[in-house]
Amino acid sequence: ILVFFYIFRYTIGMHIRIIYGSNSGSTRSVAELMAQLLEQGRHQVTGQSADQGSPDDIAEADITLVGSCSWDHFAGKERLHGQLQQHWFTLQKKVGSRTYPKHRFAIFGLGDSTYTNFCGAADHLEALVKKWKGQRLGSILRLDSYFFEQEQNDRQIKEWLRGLPLS
């Protein structure tokens, strides 16, 4: 039975969950591209918006990719550049004080380099992974103006995924 498990595991690959926050659809598009590329590598992939995620969704995956667009929020009259997309706040509340020691996370962010804090949401996600006591895989992927430079960004996504230790 143990031999079968290892053969099955090697053939199927890992269960990778992609959790994203998207406003205009660009982060969702990136997550969908990542899912296609990872499935070509024989991984089982589940993608979902952060507001639909649950603490168990994270725990059940072998690796979780977390991503968000960077968005401006207002605190009164003050404009806060590079904030996390609002769906992530829903998931954070659901997770509460739960932690994920030894769970592996990879982080990606989308933004616009004209923002004061380019891809600032990725920094918030990195802090969230640390709060959850997770292990970050690889470098943070930061994509600039995704739809305006889609071909270049898609190449960057492919390179980033190839560089992640997904075994």
Side-chain angles (χ1 to χ4, degrees):
I1 294 176
L2 192 56
V3 171
F4 173 76
F5 174 76
Y6 284 115
I7 292 171
F8 177 77
R9 184 70 164 170
Y10 177 75
T11 304
I12 298 299
M14 307 195 81
H15 176 215
I16 300 171
R17 184 169 300 272
I18 304 173
I19 302 176
Y20 60 87
S22 187
N23 286 333
S24 64
S26 57
T27 310
R28 184 185 71 235
S29 294
V30 167
E32 290 169 353
L33 173 61
M34 288 179 176
Q36 291 172 0
L37 294 169
L38 290 165
E39 286 169 348
Q40 290 171 5
R42 298 183 160 245
H43 297 289
Q44 176 190 352
V45 182
T46 306
Q48 68 190 120
S49 177
D51 63 335
Q52 300 298 314
S54 75
D56 290 339
D57 291 338
I58 297 168
E60 291 168 1
D62 297 312
I63 295 173
T64 303
L65 277 59
V66 294
S68 178
C69 56
S70 295
W71 211 250
D72 290 350
H73 286 285
F74 289 88
K77 292 183 180 183
E78 181 184 3
R79 184 179 201 156
L80 306 173
H81 292 278
Q83 296 298 303
L84 196 58
Q85 199 272 347
Q86 68 264 14
H87 292 162
W88 276 100
F89 301 118
T90 303
L91 182 58
Q92 286 179 30
K93 287 179 187 173
K94 291 178 188 176
V95 170
S97 62
R98 185 170 175 172
T99 60
Y100 300 93
K102 299 183 183 177
H103 189 81
R104 298 180 295 164
F105 293 87
I107 301 167
F108 64 98
L110 282 74
D112 184 324
S113 57
T114 63
Y115 277 21
T116 305
N117 189 4
F118 172 61
C119 284
D123 299 327
H124 292 287
L125 289 173
E126 182 179 32
L128 188 59
V129 167
K130 285 179 183 177
K131 177 182 173 187
W132 289 344
K133 300 189 185 331
Q135 298 175 4
R136 191 183 94 198
L137 294 178
S139 61
I140 296 174
L141 175 63
R142 297 174 192 271
L143 300 171
D144 188 14
S145 302
Y146 179 71
F147 285 128
F148 296 106
E149 301 290 337
Q150 189 167 354
E151 190 174 309
Q152 176 184 333
N153 281 310
D154 287 353
R155 279 193 307 271
Q156 195 176 346
I157 291 165
K158 291 173 187 174
E159 289 173 22
W160 181 73
L161 288 174
R162 274 195 295 268
L164 292 178
L166 300 178
S167 58

